[in-house]
Amino acid sequence: MAHLSEAAIRDVVTEVLSKIQSANGAPVSAPAVQSKPGRHGVFDSAAEAARAAQGGFEQLLKAGWAGRAKVVEIVKTMCFDNAERWGRIEFEETKIGRLDHKIGKLHGIRNVLGTEYLVPTGMSGDAGITMEESAPWGVIGAITPVTHSIPTIAGNIVNMVAAGNAIVVNPHPGGAACAALAVHEFNEAIAAETGIRNLICTVEKPTLDSFNELCAAHEVALLCITGGPAVVDAAMKTGKRAICAGPGNPPVVVDDCHALDFDKVARDIIFGGGFDNNLLCIGEKQIIAVGDSYSKTLDALKRQGAVILTKAQTEAIKKEVFDIKDGGGGCSHAVLNRAYVGADPAKLAAIAGLSIDPKVEMLIAETEEDDVFVDEEQMMPLLPIVRAGCFPDAVRIAKDSEHNYRHSAMVHTMNVAHLTMMGREMDTTLYVKNGPCTAGLGMGGEGYISFSIATTTGEGITTPRTFTRFRRCTLVDQLNIV
Ligand code: NAD
């Protein structure tokens, strides 16, 4: 006798129940989907995860605003309390970036916006009253990057659950184990405190097939994509609405400005570009310095602990970290060697036979504007510096290097006309003036944080409102009591 799998039996039961329902017209609820034994919210398939999350969504609906707020509080508290342990687990699995900054990112989840951001709008007049409210979508499919696996999931949960949704994650395979661990622990705590099960689900072994299965699942009403160009393209082709936090290649322009403190400029660039070994999508990726500021910036970078590479050292590293392929017709294109993404500066320097202090946070390469380090989103603590003749020329180079991703750009100048001109030209989602990139996400600047910055589709730094449907409710001629 042939044996049926657990999933096949479940499908048969579901079909029989739905036939009974259509026969007598009575509503019959589908059987609850079980996660893997001892792994709350962790599933073998995206289809099962989506079905379970639908159940989680329905339970959250019943728990109301108080339930949403409780989940947000649980997730924020757990990220803070477990930052050291989870940061280490993620670091050991992905082997990229810096442990101290992985911990810092989890601490930062406190500053993700929650239920407080969803304020209804009321209108009252001679014709009655109208309310406008932000309603949930239901189940959201979230695709998360290897560069910040747990922080992106946690930030997405805070935003999405505050808005009343459940979530299914298809994480990057390189960060899937830590994602499953965090999802399991979040669910366990949420179930213990609220009774809601499977509010956050994940696929244990994510693949391109599980991505397709998740996008096709009828329970999934909306997608949130955080990643590079390929996944953004793939999501846009699914036919589902997708909020896309896509790639960037942020330039930082240093103006030829007497009023600048170049040591502060250097510290800001090293901090922003060096954060988590330059894994941040908002991180400074190339420096463009105008006129005399070129040598002043280089000198200050050296004083602040960066190592300036020789031309030969730069070329040796370039050959190893990029695979430069001849595209024919005199064109070439570079493919990033993923083994060096988020690598320590000492590991990069060693390629060129250079031994440096492990405390060094940044390598600097003097290059031309058409260099591959300027053109590509290298995601490693090596920044090219390019000389520009004047400020408009610097902005032109910056704009070319950003590839119209409209992601992020930074500038250091006290010239208000230059600040304004660059902001208009770049047209980026984040524009940080006189600070490190991180100031644009509320770390050292005003504002809140999210690890999903919807650049490609234009929603910007995601908030709970990003994950809602706008609804209006009108009562005619009544309850306008004034
Ligand atoms: P990645 O594009 O390799 O992977 C991101 C996610 O997409 C992963 O879950 C991966 O498994 C999946 N994926 C990749 N290609 C796919 C395809 N063809 N079909 C389906 N799924 C696919 O990116 P990464 O290395 O994990 O992260 C770095 C990239 O993400 C950078 O480009 C960075 O700028 C970007 N990023 C953007 C933001 C933002 O908020 N805008 C935040 C973090 C990272």
Side-chain angles (χ1 to χ4, degrees):
M1 190 183 131
H3 287 283
L4 285 175
S5 69
E6 193 191 325
I9 294 168
R10 197 177 302 120
D11 286 348
V12 171
V13 172
T14 307
E15 200 184 325
V16 170
L17 284 173
S18 74
K19 280 188 179 147
I20 296 169
Q21 176 181 4
S22 49
N24 64 15
V28 177
S29 51
V33 186
Q34 300 293 329
S35 48
K36 292 176 79 71
R39 313 284 315 273
H40 296 272
V42 182
F43 292 86
D44 283 330
S45 82
E48 281 179 307
R51 259 188 286 147
Q54 178 65 31
F57 167 63
E58 285 161 18
Q59 294 166 66
L60 183 66
L61 262 183
K62 289 192 189 122
W65 285 92
R68 299 184 195 187
K70 186 72 200 163
V71 173
V72 165
E73 184 198 315
I74 292 168
V75 171
K76 288 188 174 190
T77 307
M78 287 181 77
C79 285
F80 196 82
D81 292 350
N82 292 292
E84 195 122 359
R85 180 171 64 90
W86 285 354
R88 188 174 295 282
I89 289 170
E90 177 159 344
F91 183 61
E92 282 167 4
E93 181 185 6
T94 61
K95 298 182 178 58
I96 56 175
R98 286 176 46 170
L99 177 59
D100 54 343
H101 291 157
K102 301 237 176 288
I103 295 168
K105 288 190 287 188
L106 286 165
H107 285 155
I109 297 298
R110 277 177 307 181
N111 297 327
V112 177
L113 293 174
T115 47
E116 73 284 356
Y117 201 64
L118 294 174
V119 183
T121 313
M123 284 160 269
S124 174
D126 294 342
I129 59 161
T130 288
M131 285 298 291
E132 289 177 340
E133 295 183 272
S134 302
W137 281 87
V139 177
I140 301 178
I143 313 301
T144 53
V146 71
T147 45
H148 339 284
S149 190
I150 303 178
T152 309
I153 293 170
N156 282 173
I157 296 170
V158 171
N159 276 178
M160 294 172 186
V161 172
N165 303 287
I167 301 139
V168 181
V169 187
N170 199 56
H172 191 290
C178 63
L181 174 110
V183 164
H184 161 72
E185 294 189 19
F186 283 140
N187 274 310
E188 199 172 35
I190 292 166
E193 293 217 33
T194 68
I196 302 172
R197 297 177 61 231
N198 293 327
L199 189 57
I200 301 128
C201 299
T202 190
V203 182
E204 188 174 38
K205 295 199 172 93
T207 59
L208 291 185
D209 286 343
S210 63
F211 166 85
N212 288 325
E213 197 175 54
L214 179 63
C215 296
H218 69 87
E219 295 89 351
V220 174
L222 178 71
L223 298 171
C224 176
I225 310 296
T226 309
V231 66
V232 168
D233 274 1
M236 299 284 222
K237 287 183 186 133
T238 62
K240 278 222 167 120
R241 177 157 181 239
I243 291 162
C244 295
N249 192 32
V252 50
V253 168
V254 185
D255 199 4
D256 192 2
C257 176
H258 296 297
L260 279 181
D261 172 352
F262 281 88
D263 282 291
K264 178 179 180 305
V265 170
R267 280 197 302 277
D268 286 349
I269 292 173
I270 293 171
F271 182 76
F275 195 91
D276 213 11
N277 282 343
N278 210 351
L279 290 182
L280 292 182
C281 57
I282 59 168
E284 287 84 348
K285 297 285 187 302
Q286 53 275 351
I287 309 166
I288 299 125
V290 182
D292 285 350
S293 83
Y294 184 89
S295 56
K296 289 181 191 165
T297 305
L298 261 187
D299 290 347
L301 284 163
K302 222 183 296 177
R303 281 196 300 277
Q304 294 302 324
V307 168
I308 317 296
L309 300 169
T310 65
K311 205 169 171 45
Q313 289 163 346
T314 303
E315 290 308 309
I317 297 172
K318 188 186 296 175
K319 259 175 76 183
E320 178 70 16
V321 303
F322 291 109
D323 184 9
I324 300 175
K325 293 203 159 77
D326 185 359
C331 295
S332 60
H333 79 276
V335 179
L336 195 56
N337 180 347
R338 301 284 304 194
Y340 293 99
V341 166
D344 287 335
K347 180 173 170 183
L348 297 173
I351 299 170
L354 184 63
S355 168
I356 60 169
D357 187 327
K359 290 204 184 87
V360 169
E361 293 181 81
M362 184 60 74
L363 306 178
I364 302 290
E366 295 184 77
T367 72
E368 299 300 321
E369 65 177 83
D370 59 357
D371 196 274
V372 65
F373 277 118
V374 177
D375 210 42
E376 294 292 320
E377 187 192 18
Q378 72 272 29
M379 292 187 281
M380 55 189 77
L382 187 161
L383 296 190
I385 182 166
V386 176
R387 189 191 300 271
C390 58
F391 193 80
D393 196 34
V395 174
R396 176 191 59 76
I397 298 169
K399 190 159 176 68
D400 282 355
S401 72
E402 214 271 327
H403 305 303
N404 210 26
Y405 289 136
R406 300 203 283 188
H407 197 299
S408 302
M410 274 60 69
V411 64
H412 294 269
T413 182
M414 293 297 172
N415 182 324
V416 174
H418 285 178
L419 287 173
T420 312
M421 178 255 191
M422 181 166 164
R424 288 185 182 155
E425 279 295 308
M426 294 303 298
D427 198 16
T428 45
T429 307
L430 250 75
Y431 178 45
V432 180
K433 304 173 285 273
N434 298 326
C437 65
T438 45
L441 289 183
M443 291 182 281
E446 289 300 323
Y448 50 85
I449 194 172
S450 165
F451 287 94
S452 298
I453 304 162
T455 46
T456 320
T457 46
E459 293 83 358
I461 301 156
T462 56
T463 72
R465 202 177 294 156
T466 312
F467 304 105
T468 60
R469 291 160 49 239
F470 183 88
R471 294 182 59 193
R472 176 179 277 197
C473 189
T474 300
L475 176 68
V476 180
D477 286 345
Q478 296 297 328
L479 280 182
N480 46 333
I481 58 169
V482 178

